[in-house]
Amino acid sequence: MNSSRKLNNALLSVYYKDGLDILAKTLHKLGVNIYSTGGTQEYIEKLGIPVNRVEDLTGYPSILGGRVKTLHPKVFGGILARRDHEQDKQEVAAYEIPFIDLIVVDLYPFEETVQSTTDESKIIEKIDIGGVSLIRAAAKNFNDTAIICDKGDFGSLSDILEKQNGELSLNQRRGYAAKAFHVTSHYDGLIYQYFDKDAPANFKASVSPANALRYGENPHQKGIFYGHLNRLFTQLHGKELSYNNLLDIDAALNLIADFDEPTIAIIKHNNPCGVASRENISTAWLDALAGDPVSAFGGIIVANQPIDEATAKEIDKIFMEVLIAPGFEGNALQILQSKKNRILLLQHGKLPQNKLYRSILNGVIEQDRDAVILKDSEINQVTKHKATASQIQDMLFADKIVKHTKSNTIVLAKNKQLIGIGCGQTSRVDALKGAIAKAHAFHFSLNDAVMSSDAFFPFPDCVEIAGKEGINAVIQPGGSVKDDASVSYCNENGIAMYFTGIRHFKH
């Protein structure tokens, strides 16, 4: 049995017409009869190509405002009929049903409509019925029928048909069928998520496309990223992004999104090691780097303002893996491209404020993204001593950093600069000691510095250690049964303490 099938009849019905002209002209050139409906029919006819109307085939017009156009036995019989099945051939002949060898169809833009409106009537109208049915029918009968449901395939299909004299092999048809079932399952998943959003009963996720990475977290592990990175940034220079790069980039973009002033952050192994907010991006870079120039080696740099030439010259002095910025001014890009493998990303999109998921055990856990950004009016003074206006700003600055750092974590800040950080420790005291050691290592004075903690202090030991170092303003969630002990120590030693009521664990 010949596995190749020559195309004689094709049904074209698409929402997006991009590139359809090339395919339609190729089909016409190869002598393929084209069936179509509505706007697609009009589009093809304007190209000077004859079209058979589906209404003439079925004997029914498009009805119910376009909801029913192709749902008819004369259409689906032609798609599903098995060419090597004697009874199928007899029945299509008896009912004058033409074999349809190629289906070209896409789906109503349900996802885009959900993102652009809250009008449920408009959303519901973008749930495709006929398109999904056509795709599934053609994909099921891939042995005889080819299905194209991605406009990105129009050009390549035209080339294949030209080269193969209007024929498609079984492997080609099967490949298109696999893609078709992905399209319909993804589409149905989006619809399910829309209806199930208020009380989710199941976890369903469909993310594409798949992008193979060089390896996973380590060279012996396979790695794949699913998604559209180009919706967030454009890579301007450097080597291919790695699994670990992507984790650090995610951490960097989440952190920088919380800052409005010109700010630069340096990320290492998902944790910030340098952050500074200043009046200009050049000074922000110098002070972010000063926070821990040792850890900055090989790190990820992220800025919320365009990089100018002066800043680029300073950044170029160190080895770093990735630089992310919303722009590059003057010769900044040329300066930074001096290192062949240095990855430069132009950010043009924001991270979606959606749910967070993690695979654990034999399932998946889900949570809301931690989107809390505190204002000075939302923190509660619990000591008789009051922080200065600049210290309050430093505490809010430090609290943003704490939120994006692995627990247990302590952040020390002064003049909107990260001057010491202890993260990922099993003891909060150890986290504080690590932060103090960092500050001392890079010659920062802790007098009048502020301390932020991701969770409450179960004992007063942390405020005691901090107070002896000259730290005299503390921000923390509060909520410990021994809060009074910490507050009492602060009152006795001239330390201001503020409660946020918001814990920022990050595991």
Side-chain angles (χ1 to χ4, degrees):
M1 182 179 66
N2 183 6
S3 66
S4 289
R5 288 283 187 267
K6 187 170 182 62
L7 304 186
N8 295 304
N9 298 307
L11 171 59
L12 281 60
S13 180
V14 295
Y15 188 88
Y16 296 107
K17 311 298 189 292
D18 312 35
L20 183 64
D21 56 333
I22 297 173
L23 179 58
K25 290 175 182 177
T26 299
L27 293 172
H28 178 58
K29 177 183 175 183
L30 293 168
V32 178
N33 296 314
I34 296 177
Y35 291 84
S36 192
T37 64
T40 307
Q41 171 196 324
E42 294 175 6
Y43 177 86
I44 297 172
E45 287 175 338
K46 287 179 180 178
L47 298 173
I49 298 172
V51 179
N52 300 295
R53 300 195 318 156
V54 168
E55 291 92 331
D56 294 337
L57 173 64
T58 64
Y60 282 88
S62 173
I63 61 173
L64 307 182
R67 284 189 166 195
V68 179
K69 289 182 284 191
T70 57
L71 296 167
H72 193 280
K74 282 206 170 184
V75 174
F76 282 85
I79 297 169
L80 288 164
R82 293 159 289 187
R83 311 302 194 260
D84 58 353
H85 194 282
E86 194 58 38
Q87 184 174 344
D88 283 7
K89 290 192 289 185
Q90 291 174 5
E91 290 178 351
V92 296
Y95 294 105
E96 299 180 335
I97 299 174
F99 289 116
I100 300 178
D101 311 298
L102 172 67
I103 297 294
V104 180
V105 64
D106 58 10
L107 302 174
Y108 290 158
F110 177 82
E111 182 176 14
E112 293 85 344
T113 305
V114 169
Q115 293 171 350
S116 64
T117 183
T118 57
D119 186 336
E120 184 158 274
S121 64
K122 292 181 179 179
I123 292 171
I124 297 304
E125 282 307 307
K126 288 299 183 286
I127 297 178
D128 206 312
I129 303 300
V132 171
S133 301
L134 289 169
I135 291 171
R136 288 180 62 85
K140 175 178 180 176
N141 198 32
F142 69 88
N143 193 61
D144 298 298
T145 307
I147 171 64
I148 299 296
C149 52
D150 181 353
K151 62 183 180 182
D153 290 330
F154 290 175
S156 60
L157 175 63
S158 296
D159 292 340
I160 291 170
L161 292 176
E162 289 268 18
K163 183 178 179 180
Q164 297 176 185
N165 194 30
E167 294 189 357
L168 289 173
S169 70
L170 178 61
N171 285 339
Q172 288 167 337
R173 299 194 301 274
R174 187 184 183 94
Y176 288 132
K179 186 171 186 177
F181 283 121
H182 160 69
V183 168
T184 57
S185 65
H186 177 72
Y187 194 76
D188 285 341
L190 294 172
I191 296 170
Y192 173 79
Q193 288 169 14
Y194 173 76
F195 281 98
D196 197 50
K197 60 188 175 184
D198 295 325
N202 301 281
F203 175 77
K204 292 183 183 291
S206 176
V207 184
S208 60
N211 302 275
L213 303 173
R214 296 197 303 273
Y215 50 79
E217 205 159 7
N218 298 291
H220 64 277
Q221 295 170 272
K222 182 180 178 181
I224 300 174
F225 173 79
Y226 297 93
H228 295 272
L229 290 173
N230 57 3
R231 294 179 182 175
L232 296 175
F233 48 74
T234 300
Q235 183 167 346
L236 303 177
H237 184 70
K239 62 185 178 181
E240 180 184 348
L241 289 167
S242 71
Y243 182 98
N244 292 328
N245 288 156
L246 291 173
L247 290 175
D248 283 334
I249 290 168
D250 180 72
L253 293 182
N254 275 291
L255 187 150
I256 205 68
D258 285 354
F259 292 88
D260 295 320
E261 297 176 84
T263 302
I264 282 187
I266 306 168
I267 305 297
K268 196 74 174 288
H269 295 297
N270 305 167
N271 290 306
C273 60
V275 185
S277 295
R278 292 292 181 262
E279 292 185 356
N280 59 73
I281 208 69
S282 186
T283 308
W285 161 249
L286 294 174
D287 290 343
L289 178 63
D292 187 348
V294 174
S295 295
F297 181 85
I300 307 293
I301 301 168
V302 62
N304 65 355
Q305 298 287 322
I307 300 297
D308 55 33
E309 288 188 39
T311 308
K313 289 178 181 178
E314 292 298 324
I315 293 175
D316 191 51
K317 294 177 182 179
I318 75 160
F319 168 72
M320 50 86 173
E321 283 275 334
V322 182
L323 170 60
I324 314 161
F328 297 88
E329 299 176 344
N331 292 320
L333 186 60
Q334 183 178 349
I335 293 167
L336 293 165
Q337 287 175 329
S338 62
K339 305 296 190 297
K340 181 178 68 173
N341 290 328
R342 178 182 287 163
I343 298 169
L344 303 177
L345 303 177
L346 176 65
Q347 185 183 358
H348 49 71
K350 295 182 179 180
L351 287 173
Q353 295 301 307
N354 52 6
K355 304 285 187 179
L356 298 177
Y357 306 96
R358 183 181 294 183
S359 59
I360 64 165
L361 303 175
N362 61 344
V364 176
I365 52 175
E366 171 193 309
Q367 68 170 345
D368 295 332
R369 190 179 294 272
D370 185 352
V372 174
I373 302 175
L374 293 172
K375 301 175 182 177
D376 53 7
S377 60
E378 296 174 321
I379 59 176
N380 181 31
Q381 180 184 339
V382 295
T383 54
K384 60 185 180 182
H385 299 282
K386 184 178 180 179
T388 66
S390 63
Q391 284 181 320
I392 288 175
Q393 292 306 307
D394 283 343
M395 287 191 292
L396 296 174
F397 171 88
D399 191 68
K400 292 176 182 178
I401 299 171
V402 153
K403 186 176 89 171
H404 297 284
T405 309
K406 297 288 186 181
S407 299
N408 289 311
T409 185
I410 294 289
V411 166
L412 306 180
K414 189 174 182 180
N415 300 324
K416 294 185 180 179
Q417 179 185 21
L418 174 61
I419 61 173
I421 189 167
C423 54
Q425 299 300 311
T426 53
S427 159
R428 196 158 302 280
V429 171
D430 286 344
L432 173 57
K433 289 179 178 179
I436 292 170
K438 285 281 188 183
H440 287 167
F442 302 110
H443 312 294
F444 287 106
S445 169
L446 292 174
N447 290 329
D448 298 326
V450 306
M451 173 173 72
S452 177
S453 174
D454 61 331
F456 64 62
F457 298 116
F459 305 101
D461 45 9
C462 282
V463 291
E464 292 172 5
I465 295 169
K468 291 174 183 177
E469 291 289 336
I471 297 166
N472 57 11
V474 178
I475 185 169
Q476 58 129 327
S480 168
V481 294
K482 294 188 177 181
D483 276 345
D484 288 346
S486 293
V487 172
S488 294
Y489 181 86
C490 289
N491 283 333
E492 293 167 4
N493 292 274
I495 300 173
M497 180 178 282
Y498 290 72
F499 284 178
T500 67
I502 303 291
R503 190 181 73 183
H504 289 301
F505 270 169
K506 189 169 187 286
H507 293 95

mmCIF file of all heavy atoms in Angstrom, residues 230-246:
data_model
loop_
_atom_site.group_PDB
_atom_site.id
_atom_site.type_symbol
_atom_site.label_atom_id
_atom_site.label_comp_id
_atom_site.label_asym_id
_atom_site.label_seq_id
_atom_site.Cartn_x
_atom_site.Cartn_y
_atom_site.Cartn_z
ATOM 1 N N ASN A 230 10.583 34.955 24.295
ATOM 2 C CA ASN A 230 10.591 36.187 23.501
ATOM 3 C C ASN A 230 9.457 37.137 23.864
ATOM 4 O O ASN A 230 9.429 38.273 23.404
ATOM 5 C CB ASN A 230 10.552 35.870 22.000
ATOM 6 C CG ASN A 230 9.353 35.028 21.593
ATOM 7 O OD1 ASN A 230 8.497 34.713 22.415
ATOM 8 N ND2 ASN A 230 9.294 34.669 20.327
ATOM 9 N N ARG A 231 8.534 36.696 24.691
ATOM 10 C CA ARG A 231 7.497 37.605 25.177
ATOM 11 C C ARG A 231 8.012 38.476 26.326
ATOM 12 O O ARG A 231 7.389 39.472 26.675
ATOM 13 C CB ARG A 231 6.269 36.819 25.630
ATOM 14 C CG ARG A 231 5.546 36.106 24.490
ATOM 15 C CD ARG A 231 4.352 35.319 24.988
ATOM 16 N NE ARG A 231 3.704 34.603 23.887
ATOM 17 C CZ ARG A 231 2.684 33.756 24.048
ATOM 18 N NH1 ARG A 231 2.196 33.535 25.264
ATOM 19 N NH2 ARG A 231 2.144 33.145 23.000
ATOM 20 N N LEU A 232 9.122 38.070 26.916
ATOM 21 C CA LEU A 232 9.705 38.815 28.026
ATOM 22 C C LEU A 232 10.934 39.613 27.623
ATOM 23 O O LEU A 232 11.134 40.735 28.087
ATOM 24 C CB LEU A 232 10.091 37.852 29.162
ATOM 25 C CG LEU A 232 8.963 37.104 29.845
ATOM 26 C CD1 LEU A 232 9.531 36.119 30.861
ATOM 27 C CD2 LEU A 232 8.008 38.066 30.522
ATOM 28 N N PHE A 233 11.760 39.024 26.774
ATOM 29 C CA PHE A 233 12.997 39.706 26.394
ATOM 30 C C PHE A 233 13.515 39.188 25.054
ATOM 31 O O PHE A 233 13.110 38.130 24.577
ATOM 32 C CB PHE A 233 14.077 39.560 27.466
ATOM 33 C CG PHE A 233 14.270 38.151 27.973
ATOM 34 C CD1 PHE A 233 14.908 37.200 27.201
ATOM 35 C CD2 PHE A 233 13.831 37.777 29.239
ATOM 36 C CE1 PHE A 233 15.094 35.909 27.660
ATOM 37 C CE2 PHE A 233 14.011 36.486 29.711
ATOM 38 C CZ PHE A 233 14.647 35.550 28.917
ATOM 39 N N THR A 234 14.414 39.980 24.488
ATOM 40 C CA THR A 234 15.112 39.598 23.262
ATOM 41 C C THR A 234 16.587 39.422 23.591
ATOM 42 O O THR A 234 17.188 40.301 24.216
ATOM 43 C CB THR A 234 14.960 40.689 22.184
ATOM 44 O OG1 THR A 234 13.574 40.863 21.892
ATOM 45 C CG2 THR A 234 15.714 40.305 20.914
ATOM 46 N N GLN A 235 17.159 38.282 23.215
ATOM 47 C CA GLN A 235 18.586 38.079 23.449
ATOM 48 C C GLN A 235 19.363 38.792 22.358
ATOM 49 O O GLN A 235 19.238 38.488 21.173
ATOM 50 C CB GLN A 235 18.936 36.595 23.482
ATOM 51 C CG GLN A 235 20.405 36.357 23.809
ATOM 52 C CD GLN A 235 20.729 34.907 24.161
ATOM 53 O OE1 GLN A 235 19.830 34.111 24.416
ATOM 54 N NE2 GLN A 235 22.009 34.579 24.194
ATOM 55 N N LEU A 236 20.194 39.745 22.770
ATOM 56 C CA LEU A 236 20.963 40.560 21.830
ATOM 57 C C LEU A 236 22.368 40.025 21.584
ATOM 58 O O LEU A 236 22.998 40.358 20.575
ATOM 59 C CB LEU A 236 21.068 41.997 22.358
ATOM 60 C CG LEU A 236 19.738 42.720 22.633
ATOM 61 C CD1 LEU A 236 20.001 44.092 23.222
ATOM 62 C CD2 LEU A 236 18.925 42.830 21.354
ATOM 63 N N HIS A 237 22.848 39.198 22.524
ATOM 64 C CA HIS A 237 24.239 38.754 22.419
ATOM 65 C C HIS A 237 24.465 37.594 23.381
ATOM 66 O O HIS A 237 23.766 37.443 24.373
ATOM 67 C CB HIS A 237 25.174 39.912 22.786
ATOM 68 C CG HIS A 237 26.638 39.602 22.612
ATOM 69 N ND1 HIS A 237 27.235 39.449 21.387
ATOM 70 C CD2 HIS A 237 27.629 39.405 23.535
ATOM 71 C CE1 HIS A 237 28.520 39.199 21.544
ATOM 72 N NE2 HIS A 237 28.776 39.152 22.836
ATOM 73 N N GLY A 238 25.472 36.780 23.055
ATOM 74 C CA GLY A 238 25.930 35.768 23.999
ATOM 75 C C GLY A 238 25.511 34.353 23.668
ATOM 76 O O GLY A 238 24.822 34.080 22.686
ATOM 77 N N LYS A 239 25.921 33.458 24.528
ATOM 78 C CA LYS A 239 25.666 32.033 24.336
ATOM 79 C C LYS A 239 24.220 31.685 24.668
ATOM 80 O O LYS A 239 23.447 32.518 25.153
ATOM 81 C CB LYS A 239 26.628 31.216 25.206
ATOM 82 C CG LYS A 239 26.476 31.465 26.704
ATOM 83 C CD LYS A 239 27.521 30.728 27.500
ATOM 84 C CE LYS A 239 27.375 31.022 29.004
ATOM 85 N NZ LYS A 239 28.390 30.329 29.805
ATOM 86 N N GLU A 240 23.875 30.443 24.415
ATOM 87 C CA GLU A 240 22.527 29.950 24.688
ATOM 88 C C GLU A 240 22.252 29.969 26.190
ATOM 89 O O GLU A 240 23.112 29.622 27.007
ATOM 90 C CB GLU A 240 22.397 28.530 24.144
ATOM 91 C CG GLU A 240 21.045 27.885 24.348
ATOM 92 C CD GLU A 240 21.031 26.442 23.877
ATOM 93 O OE1 GLU A 240 21.992 26.022 23.203
ATOM 94 O OE2 GLU A 240 20.058 25.740 24.191
ATOM 95 N N LEU A 241 21.044 30.375 26.564
ATOM 96 C CA LEU A 241 20.666 30.396 27.970
ATOM 97 C C LEU A 241 20.624 28.972 28.529
ATOM 98 O O LEU A 241 20.135 28.045 27.876
ATOM 99 C CB LEU A 241 19.300 31.047 28.141
ATOM 100 C CG LEU A 241 19.243 32.559 27.916
ATOM 101 C CD1 LEU A 241 17.801 33.035 27.810
ATOM 102 C CD2 LEU A 241 19.959 33.289 29.046
ATOM 103 N N SER A 242 21.101 28.820 29.756
ATOM 104 C CA SER A 242 21.111 27.514 30.407
ATOM 105 C C SER A 242 19.974 27.408 31.423
ATOM 106 O O SER A 242 19.298 28.396 31.741
ATOM 107 C CB SER A 242 22.448 27.307 31.125
ATOM 108 O OG SER A 242 22.530 28.153 32.270
ATOM 109 N N TYR A 243 19.780 26.231 31.935
ATOM 110 C CA TYR A 243 18.780 25.971 32.975
ATOM 111 C C TYR A 243 19.018 26.882 34.175
ATOM 112 O O TYR A 243 18.104 27.548 34.665
ATOM 113 C CB TYR A 243 18.883 24.497 33.378
ATOM 114 C CG TYR A 243 17.902 24.018 34.418
ATOM 115 C CD1 TYR A 243 16.733 23.359 34.050
ATOM 116 C CD2 TYR A 243 18.159 24.184 35.778
ATOM 117 C CE1 TYR A 243 15.845 22.893 35.005
ATOM 118 C CE2 TYR A 243 17.265 23.731 36.737
ATOM 119 C CZ TYR A 243 16.111 23.084 36.346
ATOM 120 O OH TYR A 243 15.229 22.622 37.304
ATOM 121 N N ASN A 244 20.270 26.938 34.644
ATOM 122 C CA ASN A 244 20.583 27.766 35.809
ATOM 123 C C ASN A 244 20.456 29.255 35.498
ATOM 124 O O ASN A 244 20.028 30.043 36.347
ATOM 125 C CB ASN A 244 21.985 27.445 36.324
ATOM 126 C CG ASN A 244 22.074 26.058 36.926
ATOM 127 O OD1 ASN A 244 21.114 25.559 37.492
ATOM 128 N ND2 ASN A 244 23.219 25.412 36.796
ATOM 129 N N ASN A 245 20.819 29.647 34.271
ATOM 130 C CA ASN A 245 20.608 31.030 33.849
ATOM 131 C C ASN A 245 19.145 31.412 33.996
ATOM 132 O O ASN A 245 18.805 32.478 34.520
ATOM 133 C CB ASN A 245 21.013 31.234 32.392
ATOM 134 C CG ASN A 245 22.508 31.219 32.153
ATOM 135 O OD1 ASN A 245 22.959 30.939 31.048
ATOM 136 N ND2 ASN A 245 23.294 31.542 33.168
ATOM 137 N N LEU A 246 18.260 30.535 33.530
ATOM 138 C CA LEU A 246 16.833 30.834 33.556
ATOM 139 C C LEU A 246 16.312 30.970 34.977
ATOM 140 O O LEU A 246 15.480 31.846 35.269
ATOM 141 C CB LEU A 246 16.053 29.755 32.805
ATOM 142 C CG LEU A 246 16.272 29.722 31.294
ATOM 143 C CD1 LEU A 246 15.591 28.509 30.672
ATOM 144 C CD2 LEU A 246 15.762 31.001 30.639
#
